[in-house]
Amino acid sequence: MEYSPNLDTTTIQGRKKAITFSYDDGVTQDIRLISLLNKYGLKATFNLNSELLGLDGSLIREGVKVSHTKVKPEDIRHIYAGHEIAAHTLTHPLLPQIEEDSEIIRQVEEDRQNLSRLAGYEVAGMAYPGGGVNYNRRTAELIAGRTHIQYARTTVCSHNFTPQRDLYQFRPTVYHIMDGDRLFEDGKRFLELDNNEFSVMYIWGHSYEFDIHNTWNQFEEFLRLIAGKKDIFYGTNKEILLSDAYKAAAV
């Protein structure tokens, strides 16, 4: 089935379905992840902490020690070529715990500015850092009203595909391998969708999590499942969330 160029505001390049990915922290495992995404013609947005770039580190998740080393600032333009760079605050604090409005704004907007210089284009989006309660209405309103960020992703999964009106408290569809059964379940439901409304599947996570139980192959199975469909637009967060089609369909 062939699709005509996008001549209206209800589709992206003639497609009423779109898939995007979002990965946090800017760790070196992103390099392997990007090679997989490129293999299948998929795109992602990578949310980075500009003041932590280049730092060596590790962390323990589910009793397993994994590398949490950040990519070097001078390498990000090359590493993330063809994908989107977005903000994740300067130093990864929990924003709702910051009392001063000015510090929340600084963490977000200075990160955006730093990354814009490194990327060579204006960074438009962000993901809230940290687990648990990592955003609230106050932080969302500050970011919307006093920074140049145009969308901000939360960590609260919706498991649905309906465009959302509030892009500053944006809820992703599913949390990749840490919610593995739902990932494949949601993916299959999305592929089977056949309706007249613009729909989006949004997957998020951290690339270092693939190292916890070596689930790279499992994730590649998912990429193989969803890739190459002629009725789906594969794009970055910005390309999809800020599109006319998304805005027209948001509820």
Side-chain angles (χ1 to χ4, degrees), residues 83-115:
H83 300 270
E84 179 190 7
I85 292 169
H88 200 41
T89 71
L90 293 169
T91 58
H92 208 275
L94 277 173
L95 295 179
Q97 294 182 2
I98 298 176
E99 294 183 2
E100 301 83 4
D101 290 356
S102 60
E103 177 60 12
I104 293 174
I105 295 163
R106 187 186 77 85
Q107 280 281 341
V108 173
E109 183 60 15
E110 288 192 13
D111 189 46
R112 191 196 70 80
Q113 292 173 0
N114 292 343
L115 293 171

Side-chain angles (χ1 to χ4, degrees), residues 19 31 34 52 55 68 80 93 102 105 109 119 135 162 165 171 175 197 209 236 243 246:
I19 289 178
I31 297 169
I34 287 169
L52 302 182
L55 295 181
H68 198 257
Y80 298 108
S102 60
I105 295 163
E109 183 60 15
Y135 78 100
T162 303
R165 188 174 300 277
R171 299 177 65 189
Y175 183 24
E197 302 298 324
E209 290 165 336
T236 65
S243 69
Y246 190 95

Side-chain angles (χ1 to χ4, degrees), residues 63-213:
V64 178
K65 185 177 181 180
V66 294
S67 172
H68 198 257
T69 294
K70 306 301 184 72
V71 299
K72 296 178 180 179
E74 62 267 28
D75 293 337
I76 72 168
R77 193 177 299 196
H78 169 71
I79 289 171
Y80 298 108
H83 300 270
E84 179 190 7
I85 292 169
H88 200 41
T89 71
L90 293 169
T91 58
H92 208 275
L94 277 173
L95 295 179
Q97 294 182 2
I98 298 176
E99 294 183 2
E100 301 83 4
D101 290 356
S102 60
E103 177 60 12
I104 293 174
I105 295 163
R106 187 186 77 85
Q107 280 281 341
V108 173
E109 183 60 15
E110 288 192 13
D111 189 46
R112 191 196 70 80
Q113 292 173 0
N114 292 343
L115 293 171
S116 296
R117 286 191 291 271
L118 291 170
Y121 55 81
E122 284 297 311
V123 164
M126 71 167 284
Y128 291 100
V133 181
N134 65 353
Y135 78 100
N136 54 24
R137 181 170 295 279
R138 167 179 165 251
T139 56
E141 290 178 350
L142 285 171
I143 291 165
R146 298 177 63 181
T147 77
H148 288 88
I149 290 293
Q150 297 179 58
Y151 72 84
R153 193 213 78 221
T154 73
T155 58
V156 181
C157 295
S158 67
H159 298 291
N160 68 53
F161 315 119
T162 303
Q164 303 159 48
R165 188 174 300 277
D166 187 353
L167 290 182
Y168 291 94
Q169 298 182 76
F170 180 83
R171 299 177 65 189
T173 305
V174 63
Y175 183 24
H176 73 166
I177 60 165
M178 308 304 287
D179 203 1
D181 291 342
R182 291 301 300 267
L183 176 67
F184 279 86
E185 178 184 324
D186 289 347
K188 290 173 182 177
R189 285 197 300 115
F190 188 73
L191 293 179
E192 293 168 359
L193 274 183
D194 184 16
N195 56 37
N196 292 322
E197 302 298 324
F198 186 74
S199 302
V200 176
M201 183 173 187
Y202 186 118
I203 302 100
W204 82 279
H206 308 83
S207 61
Y208 67 80
E209 290 165 336
F210 295 114
D211 287 345
I212 297 173
H213 299 298

Side-chain angles (χ1 to χ4, degrees), residues 33-46:
L33 173 58
I34 287 169
S35 71
L36 283 175
L37 294 171
N38 290 346
K39 177 179 178 180
Y40 292 97
L42 305 171
K43 289 189 178 182
T45 294
F46 292 87

Side-chain angles (χ1 to χ4, degrees), residues 43-60:
K43 289 189 178 182
T45 294
F46 292 87
N47 309 288
L48 315 181
N49 309 107
S50 58
E51 289 192 356
L52 302 182
L53 292 172
L55 295 181
D56 291 335
S58 62
L59 48 75
I60 296 176

